[in-house]
């Protein structure tokens, strides 16, 4: 089916990545494995298996598979909303890893993407001197190098924001399922005009749904890349066999 789809598309479209026609900096993808303690992982596995987790004075309940996945990803990040909407902290392992990366940056600006509101609140409490991306003033200050840690949700920073002048390091505190959201968020720094090599850190809790999301993103990227390469190969073939010099688009 893939071959048939590529064949149908080959003479009516062409798509290229930025790397195909722009001078781009080097890109390093780094996956940082986060090890949960036995008790923390036990709570995660209990909710995953039984769809309910009893804490000291509240319960975490997953009514269906979609809700379960959401709560498991929350727990992988370190906290989860209970039935009353109150944040219940499970662990601080990602916060510690985030702090280590920021310290290792030695003052170099970092852009941190978070997933949930409680992620944002916990990061702000744990890490000093952060700024949340909200206004044009935040963008201006970041690009002037006046913000060391900029916090953003990928849905609010996915398109049209030029942040490449302010830094070259991204940290994913929590991962989205959407490849488009993921790629567009990364493109805020990895884009034309970026003068530094870009590094993208992914905090992935071992033995959790984080690993599933990371794998899904890689698989989607692989499929998309294969499609683009197949289309480009077909275009080259058409151009090579065009005896009349017509342009193939």
């Amino acid at each position: 089916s893939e071959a048939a789809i590529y064949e149908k598309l080959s003479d009516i479209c062409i798509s290229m990545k930025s790397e195909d026609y722009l001078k781009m900096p080097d890109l390093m993808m780094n996956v940082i494995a986060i090890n949960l303690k036995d008790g923390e992982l036990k709570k995660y596995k209990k909710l995953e298996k039984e769809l309910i987790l009893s804490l000291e004075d509240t319960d975490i309940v997953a009514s269906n598979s979609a809700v379960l996945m959401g709560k498991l990803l929350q727990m992988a990040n370190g906290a989860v909303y209970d039935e009353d909407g109150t944040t219940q902290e499970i662990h601080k392992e990602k916060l510690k890893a985030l702090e280590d990366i920021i310290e290792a940056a030695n003052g170099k600006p970092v852009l941190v993407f978070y997933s949930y509101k409680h992620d944002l609140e916990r990061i702000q409490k744990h890490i000093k001197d952060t700024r949340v991306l909200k206004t044009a003033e935040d963008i201006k200050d970041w690009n002037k190098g006046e913000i060391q840690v900029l916090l953003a949700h990928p849905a609010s920073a996915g398109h049209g924001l030029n942040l490449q002048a302010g830094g070259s390091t991204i940290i994913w505190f929590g991962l989205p399922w959407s490849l488009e959201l993921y790629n567009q968020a990364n493109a805020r720094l990895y884009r034309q005009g970026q003068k530094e090599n870009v590094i993208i850190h992914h905090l992935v809790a071992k033995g959790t749904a984080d690993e599933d999301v990371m794998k899904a993103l890689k698989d989607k990227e692989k499929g998309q890349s294969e499609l683009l390469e197949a289309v480009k190969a077909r275009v080259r073939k058409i151009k090579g066999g065009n005896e009349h010099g017509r342009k193939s688009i």
Side-chain angles (χ1 to χ4, degrees):
S1 61
E2 287 185 1
I5 292 170
Y6 297 165
E7 180 72 22
K8 291 293 185 181
L9 287 171
S10 62
D11 64 341
I12 59 173
C13 73
I14 182 170
S15 181
M16 295 186 295
K17 292 184 176 181
S18 299
E19 300 93 307
D20 293 329
Y21 57 94
L22 296 175
K23 181 175 176 57
M24 299 290 286
D26 290 339
L27 174 64
M28 177 181 175
M29 293 287 195
N30 184 34
V31 176
I32 300 175
I34 306 298
N35 294 297
L36 303 187
K37 295 177 182 177
D38 290 343
E40 298 162 351
L41 191 59
K42 184 177 180 181
K43 291 178 181 178
Y44 177 95
K45 294 298 183 182
K46 182 175 178 61
L47 178 63
E48 184 178 41
K49 181 179 180 180
E50 301 178 10
L51 307 185
I52 184 170
L53 173 65
S54 296
L55 301 177
E56 289 184 5
D57 55 358
T58 188
D59 291 332
I60 310 298
V61 180
S63 56
N64 55 55
S65 297
V67 173
L68 175 63
M69 179 56 70
K71 290 187 180 297
L72 291 177
L73 288 173
Q74 289 181 54
M75 290 184 71
N77 288 354
V80 62
Y81 292 119
D82 63 20
E83 299 311 293
D84 297 323
T86 303
T87 301
Q88 301 294 330
E89 189 168 64
I90 305 299
H91 66 82
K92 297 180 182 291
E93 306 310 317
K94 280 197 178 184
L95 291 173
K96 295 174 184 177
L98 177 63
E99 185 176 23
D100 288 343
I101 297 172
I102 293 172
E103 288 182 358
N106 197 26
K108 187 177 181 180
V110 297
L111 174 58
V112 180
F113 287 116
Y114 65 90
S115 296
Y116 303 98
K117 186 177 178 180
H118 57 59
D119 290 342
L120 174 61
E121 293 169 347
R122 292 171 62 243
I123 291 171
Q124 288 177 307
K125 184 177 179 180
H126 194 83
I127 306 294
K128 296 180 180 180
D129 300 325
T130 63
R131 177 91 70 89
V132 182
L133 178 59
K134 293 181 179 179
T135 68
E137 192 68 22
D138 297 326
I139 297 173
K140 180 180 178 180
D141 290 346
W142 164 264
N143 282 325
K144 287 166 59 179
E146 296 179 355
I147 302 174
Q148 184 187 0
V149 181
L150 183 64
L151 308 177
H153 192 281
S156 64
H159 293 271
L161 296 185
N162 294 316
L163 302 176
Q164 70 273 18
S168 59
T169 301
I170 291 173
I171 305 172
W172 284 92
F173 190 82
L175 292 166
W177 283 103
S178 169
L179 178 62
E180 180 183 6
L181 204 61
Y182 172 76
N183 283 340
Q184 287 297 328
N186 288 336
R188 297 315 95 213
L189 299 190
Y190 184 62
R191 61 190 292 111
Q192 188 179 23
Q194 174 61 257
K195 293 179 171 42
E196 304 289 337
N197 293 332
V198 175
I199 181 168
I200 302 177
H201 299 287
H202 309 78
L203 304 185
V204 177
K206 292 183 65 175
T208 74
D210 273 356
E211 295 178 327
D212 298 327
V213 179
M214 192 76 249
K215 181 178 184 302
L217 290 172
K218 289 181 178 179
D219 289 346
K220 290 175 184 177
E221 180 67 35
K222 181 174 181 290
Q224 179 173 284
S225 297
E226 288 177 348
L227 171 58
L228 295 182
E229 287 302 318
V231 170
K232 285 188 285 186
R234 182 63 179 172
V235 169
R236 288 193 293 267
K237 182 178 179 181
I238 293 173
K239 285 183 175 181
N242 193 332
E243 298 179 354
H244 302 289
R246 293 181 301 173
K247 292 182 178 180
S248 301
I249 300 178

